[in-house]
Amino acid sequence: MTNGDLSGMNGIFWRRAFPLFAVTILALNTVNVFTEIQDRPGVHWIYPVIQQYTSALTAIACLPIALVAYRIAPLDSTPRWRVLAVHIAGLLVFSSVHVLGFYALRLPIFAALDIPYQYVVPDRFIYELRKDALGYFIGVTAFWALLRAYGWPPSSPSTTAPATFDIRDGAKVVRTPVADILAVSSAGNYVEFVLADGRKPLMRSSLAAIEAELAPLGFVRTHRSWLVNAARVTELRPEKSGDYAVGLGGLEAPLSRRFPEALARLRAG
């Protein structure tokens, strides 16, 4: 992984974002408790207390799901459709675990108190999903803002301390200056790094995970199977199909017409 990058993101999440989000969730659910007690005077106060706080606790426990989705697809990465797809999937997992989690908590609590409780999960899931969607996307956006406020991703590396990336090639770790990585391509369950000195080490990972780490350091997704180092691009050559070939010294990588943001960024230099 990129030295310091993911640890920096994780540190901001656990030290800053997680406590902030946890306190916010507990505060909102506390307000909901008093609102329900006032609006439903015929219902015993224990119902809203158990319902709201089991929901709050499981929502807090689900926060790392959103972190994983953000690591796979930061909000400012490309292509945009992939960012949206990853976070929709993240929301569905978040909401599913949230609903099943608070349901699993409520059943033994109400049973221990000998209080009847009925909750049909399939019938209520869409209702909960709508509420979770609002909180999820507000939370992800707030996390993005916190990362920027605390200076992540790190500023451009200095000449005395160049950014490096650890390529785990089997049991061996190849610590490589990011500037020496020309491109990264998908190779089944692995990714292949093309280095300036001609080496092509393999690392067991998905290209999406590598993109999340290298995109802040100037790498651009040009194809579903390729990332290129924008700083090493020497040529953009149009093809008859509407695609482009990206020259990186002695290497050529494809640039699909399905990635117009990548073309615009590389043209801008």
Side-chain angles (χ1 to χ4, degrees):
M1 64 181 64
T2 310
N3 297 336
D5 286 2
L6 287 183
S7 61
M9 179 190 288
N10 291 341
I12 292 172
F13 176 80
W14 291 110
R15 292 195 300 269
R16 307 290 181 181
F18 186 86
L20 174 63
F21 294 160
V23 169
T24 301
I25 290 170
L26 286 171
L28 289 173
N29 284 71
T30 299
V31 171
N32 290 341
V33 167
F34 287 104
T35 300
E36 287 194 36
I37 291 174
Q38 182 176 0
D39 292 347
R40 302 166 63 190
V43 175
H44 196 282
W45 61 266
I46 197 66
Y47 277 96
V49 168
I50 294 174
Q51 289 175 334
Q52 292 298 327
Y53 286 116
T54 53
S55 177
L57 290 175
T58 51
I60 292 170
C62 288
L63 288 175
I65 295 173
L67 172 64
V68 172
Y70 193 95
R71 286 176 57 175
I72 295 172
L75 293 190
D76 48 7
S77 63
T78 57
R80 298 301 184 195
W81 65 263
R82 190 178 69 85
V83 176
L84 182 60
V86 168
H87 285 286
I88 288 175
L91 167 63
L92 291 174
V93 174
F94 180 100
S95 193
S96 298
V97 176
H98 177 214
V99 172
L100 293 175
F102 70 59
Y103 181 70
L105 283 177
R106 291 173 186 176
L107 285 179
I109 293 174
F110 279 113
L113 296 174
D114 196 25
I115 298 174
Y117 174 68
Q118 289 185 338
Y119 188 91
V120 182
V121 173
D123 293 347
R124 299 284 291 177
F125 180 72
I126 298 300
Y127 169 75
E128 297 292 344
L129 178 63
R130 289 199 302 265
K131 294 196 301 180
D132 286 343
L134 180 62
Y136 179 95
F137 288 109
I138 290 176
V140 168
T141 303
F143 183 52
W144 172 85
L146 274 175
L147 289 175
R148 297 305 174 275
Y150 283 94
W152 195 97
S155 58
S156 299
S158 67
T159 55
T160 58
T164 60
F165 187 88
D166 288 349
I167 303 172
R168 295 180 295 278
D169 187 1
K172 179 174 64 175
V173 175
V174 181
R175 180 155 294 169
T176 307
V178 170
D180 289 347
I181 303 173
L182 300 181
V184 189
S185 64
S186 178
N189 293 327
Y190 293 79
V191 291
E192 181 181 74
F193 291 79
V194 183
L195 306 184
D197 61 9
R199 288 179 296 163
K200 295 183 177 181
L202 291 171
M203 175 174 165
R204 189 175 182 87
S205 177
S206 68
L207 191 62
I210 299 300
E211 182 186 5
E213 299 182 52
L214 290 180
L217 296 174
F219 282 72
V220 181
R221 185 74 165 262
T222 61
H223 185 275
R224 63 185 179 86
S225 301
W226 281 83
L227 291 172
V228 302
N229 188 341
R232 299 301 299 260
V233 172
T234 57
E235 181 185 14
L236 284 173
R237 189 178 67 252
E239 306 283 353
K240 291 182 180 180
S241 62
D243 297 335
Y244 278 74
V246 181
L248 301 118
L251 172 71
E252 279 196 358
L255 196 166
S256 171
R257 60 184 180 277
R258 299 178 184 275
F259 291 79
E261 300 96 339
L263 177 60
R265 180 171 173 184
L266 294 181
R267 277 178 168 169

